[in-house]
Amino acid sequence: MAEPTAWNEPGHDCVLCPPLRFRFNGMADLPGESGVIARDGDFLLIPDVAPLAEGHVLLVTRDHYQCAGEFGRTMWERALRWRDRVARLYRAAYGSGELLLFEHGPATPQGGGACIDHAHWHLLPGTPGMRAVVERRGRPGSPAGRAALRAYVRTGRSYLLIEEEGTMTVHLGDGVPSQFLRWAVTAAGPGETWRWQETFGLPGSRRRFLRTLQALRAAQAALPPGDQPSDSHQ
């Protein structure tokens, strides 16, 4: 299999928007539309196609936003509710609701280490100490929220967003290498391969994807009816 490329080059369609949204899933013979764990009118929750660990999922906007720094207040609040829902899924599936959230936030094409200029949050079970790794690389953080991210993007600065142990911080993302935060996850943990192109489609990566899908779908089905997402815009 040829190494896939995800960069959104000028003149090309976004790979996280229709009709290309599940193109990489098809290349790796993984479920695409049928592999969505949960959705509502604004977001899709899907397994990462090259997961760093079992439980690694993406919260992807259904409409095109460059990054979460473009969210309005309502969209931001809905994203946080999804974050909380994923924590509940992790608790049901893995016994703990602790999670890591991270985003490469591009203010310019492929800025902040992003290789896809479409808003998506990475979420993984546990808290592997990513923030400390990033700060040791000279990227100190400050308290993060919608206003902080919007300030970065409006002034043309890319950002790195990290949440672990219930604390969300934003770090300057200009000048970092591609997939910097994926690297930071492995640097804080067992040191596995972090470039998604190097594991994409391999048997171990596919098994992680399918185990994630099975475990979190079962957890989603067990949530009470009032905690099930709606597929319509509100």
Side-chain angles (χ1 to χ4, degrees), residues 29-107:
D29 194 25
L30 292 168
E33 185 73 42
S34 65
V36 175
I37 298 165
R39 73 183 82 204
D40 65 9
D42 297 299
F43 292 98
L44 302 172
L45 185 68
I46 58 177
D48 190 286
V49 294
L52 293 168
E54 184 176 340
H56 183 179
V57 295
L58 302 181
L59 181 64
V60 179
T61 59
R62 296 180 74 157
D63 294 333
H64 187 84
Y65 293 82
Q66 183 155 302
C67 60
E70 292 188 343
F71 290 177
R73 186 177 304 278
T74 299
M75 194 73 170
W76 176 258
E77 291 173 352
R78 288 176 178 168
L80 294 182
R81 287 199 294 271
W82 270 101
R83 183 269 320 272
D84 294 342
R85 179 180 289 122
V86 172
R88 292 191 289 274
L89 294 179
Y90 285 165
R91 186 175 298 110
Y94 306 119
S96 171
E98 292 189 10
L99 60 74
L100 169 70
L101 180 157
F102 68 88
E103 180 195 13
H104 299 93

Side-chain angles (χ1 to χ4, degrees), residues 116-141:
I116 301 177
D117 292 332
H118 181 118
H120 61 288
W121 283 356
H122 293 257
L123 298 114
L124 289 87
T127 53
M130 172 194 278
R131 183 180 294 111
V133 172
V134 171
E135 292 187 340
R136 285 199 298 270
R137 293 296 294 260
R139 301 279 167 169

Side-chain angles (χ1 to χ4, degrees), residues 200-212:
F200 171 80
L202 296 181
S205 180
R206 294 182 73 257
R207 284 193 295 270
R208 280 180 173 173
F209 179 106
L210 294 171
R211 286 198 299 263
T212 297

Side-chain angles (χ1 to χ4, degrees), residues 143-205:
R146 186 182 73 92
L149 301 192
R150 286 174 69 84
Y152 268 82
V153 173
R154 285 178 171 177
T155 55
R157 296 175 297 162
S158 297
Y159 64 82
L160 308 171
L161 177 65
I162 299 172
E163 181 179 17
E164 56 183 4
E165 297 182 333
T167 299
M168 184 177 282
T169 51
V170 61
H171 310 248
L172 183 62
D174 291 337
V176 301
S178 178
Q179 303 181 63
F180 176 71
L181 292 180
R182 286 183 66 102
W183 166 81
V185 172
T186 62
E192 297 186 17
T193 302
W194 51 273
R195 290 185 73 245
W196 71 268
Q197 295 96 332
E198 294 180 9
T199 60
F200 171 80
L202 296 181
S205 180

